[in-house]
Amino acid sequence: MTYQINDPEEIDWAYFWAKKLEAKKDRSKDWNKAAPNFGKSAKRDDYHTRLIERINVNKEQTILDLGCGDGTITIPLAKRAKSVTGVDSAYKMLEILNGKAQKENIDNIKTIEEDLSKITIDNVGKHDIVVASRSLNGILNIKETIANINEIAENYVYITLFGPNNWKIEKEFYDTINKEYVEFPSHRYFFNILVDMGIYPNVESLNIGHEREYESIEDAMDNGKWRLDFLNDEEKEQLHTYLEDILEENENGKLSNPNDKADWVLYWWRK
C-alpha cells in the first residue's frame, strides 16, 4: 500500500504508529518469564517515585492501572486512593502483585488478567483516574485504546511513553556491528494522535536523572535493551567487549555510563 499525503492535515498518525510497530519484530515480550526479576530491574532508577508524585489522587477516588506489572505503581497508589484495579496480560505479574498486597495488608486492590487493548468501559466500568505506566508503546490499535481509556476516566488520564533519549548506547552498539536498531514509534506520533482525537494533553519529561547501574558486564547484558535473541554468538561477544569499553565503575562501586539513562515522557489530561 502506498500512502500519499497531499495535505499535512490528512496524516493518519495512528496508521504510521501501527506501521512502525509492525516493523519492530521484537515488540512483544514474555512478561510471565520476566516477572520474577522485573522488580529488580524496575528499581534501577527513580521513575516510579517521579510518576507517583505527579498523580493527583485522594482517598475518595478509584484508579485503573493498565499494565500494572508486579504492582510497583499500584501498591503506592492504593495507599492514597479509595481503590485500584490493576490490569495486566501476565498472570505471573498479578500473582506477585497480589502477594505484595497481602504481605502489606492492602485490601483495596483488584486485579484483572487481560490484554490492555481489549479493556473497555464494558469490562472495567468507570474510574476516576486511569494510569497507563510504560504500557502503551507496543499497542497496535492505539487510537481505539486511547478512546477506551478516555471513556473510562472520569477525572484524569496519566500515560507514560518512551522519550527521545532512550537506547543511546544500544543504538550506538548496533551501529558498530552494522545492524539496524528498530525503535518503537516516537511519542510525537502519540501527541498527534491525541490532538486529532480532540484531546489536548499536558506533556512533560519525568526527568529521571541518574544513570542506570549494573553489578557486572553480564548484569548489563541481561538487563539492557540489547535484544539478545536477535544477536548471534559473535555479536554477543562484540557486545561484551563494547560494554567493557563504555562502562566504568562509579562512586557506588557499580558499572554505569553517562548516556545510559531512562527517558520517559508523561502525557496527562483532565477530563
Side-chain angles (χ1 to χ4, degrees):
M1 175 181 177
T2 301
Y3 194 99
Q4 184 173 350
I5 301 170
N6 297 313
D7 183 341
E9 296 296 326
E10 297 176 356
I11 297 176
D12 185 344
W13 290 98
Y15 166 84
F16 285 108
W17 171 284
K19 294 298 289 184
K20 184 82 170 177
L21 266 184
E22 287 168 355
K24 186 172 173 54
K25 303 303 181 185
D26 62 338
R27 65 180 181 272
S28 299
K29 185 172 182 177
D30 187 344
W31 290 107
N32 285 309
K33 183 178 179 180
N37 295 315
F38 182 76
K40 178 183 175 183
S41 61
K43 293 176 181 177
R44 291 185 183 276
D45 54 53
D46 55 358
Y47 164 84
H48 301 91
T49 303
R50 296 283 188 182
L51 175 59
I52 290 166
E53 67 187 16
R54 296 296 296 117
I55 296 175
N56 185 13
V57 60
N58 61 53
K59 279 291 185 179
E60 303 302 315
Q61 294 175 309
T62 63
I63 297 176
L64 179 67
D65 184 5
L66 297 175
C68 59
D70 66 350
T72 312
I73 295 289
T74 318
I75 289 176
L77 288 179
K79 296 175 182 178
R80 296 169 53 193
K82 180 179 180 180
S83 67
V84 181
T85 299
V87 180
D88 206 281
S89 60
Y91 70 90
K92 283 287 187 183
M93 289 288 191
L94 298 180
E95 286 178 1
I96 295 171
L97 189 164
N98 288 322
K100 287 180 179 179
Q102 185 176 15
K103 188 175 181 179
E104 294 194 40
N105 295 314
I106 297 172
D107 60 3
N108 63 338
I109 295 176
K110 173 186 175 182
T111 57
I112 299 174
E113 182 186 343
E114 185 58 274
D115 188 305
L116 303 190
S117 64
K118 297 178 181 178
I119 291 299
T120 68
I121 196 170
D122 294 329
N123 54 27
V124 298
K126 282 277 192 181
H127 289 267
D128 295 302
I129 298 167
V130 178
V131 178
S133 167
R134 308 195 292 193
S135 57
L136 298 189
N137 282 99
I139 300 293
L140 279 169
N141 62 328
I142 190 66
K143 192 170 184 178
E144 179 184 347
T145 301
I146 294 168
N148 287 331
I149 287 173
N150 203 45
E151 185 180 16
I152 291 166
E154 292 274 21
N155 300 136
Y156 289 99
V157 176
Y158 297 89
I159 295 170
T160 55
L161 299 169
F162 292 125
N165 293 316
N166 264 301
W167 314 300
K168 279 189 175 181
I169 64 173
E170 288 87 353
K171 286 185 283 190
E172 181 184 276
F173 167 69
Y174 269 69
D175 283 343
T176 66
I177 61 173
N178 297 314
K179 201 165 190 171
E180 184 183 11
Y181 192 90
V182 181
E183 300 179 62
F184 282 95
S186 164
H187 76 92
R188 292 174 296 170
Y189 292 38
F190 191 79
F191 177 83
N192 285 293
I193 293 168
L194 290 178
V195 171
D196 286 348
M197 295 174 68
I199 299 170
Y200 300 93
N202 300 278
V203 185
E204 57 188 272
S205 169
L206 281 181
N207 192 24
I208 302 305
H210 62 76
E211 305 155 13
R212 296 186 180 101
E213 297 181 331
Y214 307 100
E215 299 289 342
S216 64
I217 298 296
E218 288 70 25
D219 182 28
M221 290 183 69
D222 291 340
N223 290 292
K225 296 176 174 62
W226 303 107
R227 304 170 182 167
L228 295 181
D229 292 344
F230 290 80
L231 299 178
N232 58 38
D233 290 342
E234 180 182 355
E235 290 167 339
K236 288 177 183 177
E237 289 180 10
Q238 291 174 307
L239 173 58
H240 195 282
T241 301
Y242 170 77
L243 290 171
E244 287 179 326
D245 290 340
I246 69 163
L247 296 180
E248 296 183 358
E249 186 172 324
N250 61 24
E251 60 186 12
N252 299 320
K254 305 291 179 64
L255 297 176
S256 65
N257 180 282
N259 290 322
D260 188 16
K261 295 180 180 180
D263 183 24
W264 294 97
V265 176
L266 171 64
Y267 282 76
W268 68 272
W269 62 92
R270 184 170 184 170
K271 291 294 296 291

